[in-house]
Amino acid sequence: MSEIRTTSTADELLEIALPIAREAAATAHRMRAEAITDVETKSTLTDVVTAADKAVERQVIKALRSARPGDGVLGEEYGDSAAPEPGAVRWILDPIDGTVNYLYGLPQYAVSLAAEADGVVVAGVVINAATGDEWTATLGGGAWREGRRLSCSERTELSQSLVGTGFGYDAKRRAHQGAVLAQLITQVRDIRRFGAAALDLCAVGEGLLDAYFEKGLNPWDHAAGGLVATEAGATVAGLAGAPPGLDMVVSAPPALFGPLHDILVELDASGGA
């Protein structure tokens, strides 16, 4: 492996990721527009989503392979396409985060691409493919949107906080999540459910949401958005000292993280199906 590849900085990795993610977002947006205007060639919008997910992921993998052939890629559709060489980078990709929004044409779906080195996410980009809005972050370099450095909410009272969340598709899990939410909603300002975890995490980083939590997120759901939130000053973690993962992802400013964490533990938010 070349010396350049093993010593790439987070900024260099972000520079590689940005044009690839932008082209991927353009593909996702175009494929949905074509499906609507050329309905005779598409069976259902569900097929369009499936085709777009796979097409975007293939496009990104091909571009990454061209730019950095020794790296690994973990994607939602195809899994680990190859294990990275020792010291190489693993790219973590969600080709379309918010596929139900994509299906319905709601402008809240994103391409999420992160670079992970030695198990640590060091660079990430999230692009709302419907609007072109773009969030970036590098480890230690801050979180940014359109040249503006981001800071998470300064709110300190959970009772005055706007909290985002999401739900799984399994009926038993939804029932448990609904029960948790019914008890939490009386202890916060209000709840929002936008349907795209990567964008929710970026919203925490930007202070558009005071906090966010969700059970059932995979690495591609939170890798890039989690770095944006973290670099904007939020804490991103699981419950009871666990890292963020399938059991739970919580993102909030330090002043809110503890109170929200404790309530979620009390309500067994990571339990259920």
Side-chain angles (χ1 to χ4, degrees):
M1 183 188 301
S2 68
E3 185 67 18
I4 292 175
R5 179 169 294 115
T6 58
T7 58
S8 293
T9 66
D11 286 338
E12 290 168 339
L13 294 171
L14 181 60
E15 187 175 346
I16 291 169
L18 271 170
I20 293 174
R22 287 167 179 164
E23 290 174 11
T27 296
H29 188 266
R30 184 186 68 250
M31 287 187 72
R32 194 182 192 286
E34 290 173 351
I36 293 171
T37 58
D38 191 13
V39 293
E40 291 183 1
T41 65
K42 303 292 183 181
S43 56
T44 68
L45 277 177
T46 302
D47 292 339
V48 173
V49 174
T50 301
D53 272 320
K54 293 181 177 179
V56 171
E57 187 157 319
R58 286 195 301 266
Q59 175 181 315
V60 172
I61 290 173
K62 181 179 179 181
L64 290 172
R65 287 279 178 265
S66 176
R68 296 178 58 89
D71 290 352
V73 182
L74 173 64
E76 181 178 16
E77 297 300 323
Y78 296 103
D80 263 315
S81 59
E85 298 174 5
V89 166
R90 182 173 77 156
W91 298 88
I92 304 175
L93 166 68
D94 194 338
I96 301 178
D97 180 46
T99 51
V100 173
N101 289 343
Y102 187 76
L103 172 67
Y104 280 82
L106 296 171
Q108 192 83 356
Y109 54 88
V111 171
S112 173
L113 182 61
E116 179 188 79
D118 297 322
V120 177
V121 176
V122 298
V125 54
V126 176
I127 300 177
N128 184 330
T131 65
D133 293 330
E134 183 177 288
W135 297 261
T136 62
T138 54
L139 185 63
W144 301 81
R145 179 179 178 185
E146 298 176 0
R148 174 171 57 90
R149 187 159 188 167
L150 302 180
S151 296
C152 64
S153 169
E154 296 181 356
R155 203 167 304 281
T156 58
E157 295 294 329
L158 189 61
S159 63
Q160 296 300 308
S161 297
L162 185 64
V163 180
T165 192
F167 306 102
Y169 294 108
D170 178 82
K172 291 182 179 179
R173 175 173 294 180
R174 279 174 175 257
H176 183 78
Q177 290 173 318
V180 169
L181 196 61
Q183 297 176 78
L184 176 65
I185 198 169
T186 60
Q187 303 182 65
V188 300
R189 180 190 295 274
D190 209 344
I191 298 289
R192 293 292 181 269
R193 195 276 204 259
F194 296 118
L199 294 175
D200 288 338
L201 287 161
C202 290
V204 172
E206 197 169 357
L208 301 176
L209 288 173
D210 295 309
Y212 165 77
F213 73 96
E214 186 167 351
K215 174 183 170 67
L217 297 185
N218 289 288
W220 49 81
D221 295 311
H222 63 82
L227 183 63
V228 170
T230 299
E231 286 295 319
T235 299
V236 181
L239 299 182
L246 280 170
D247 284 343
M248 183 59 63
V249 174
V250 183
S251 178
L256 297 178
F257 183 88
L260 178 58
H261 168 279
D262 292 348
I263 291 174
L264 292 174
V265 170
E266 180 183 346
L267 297 177
D268 188 31
S270 63

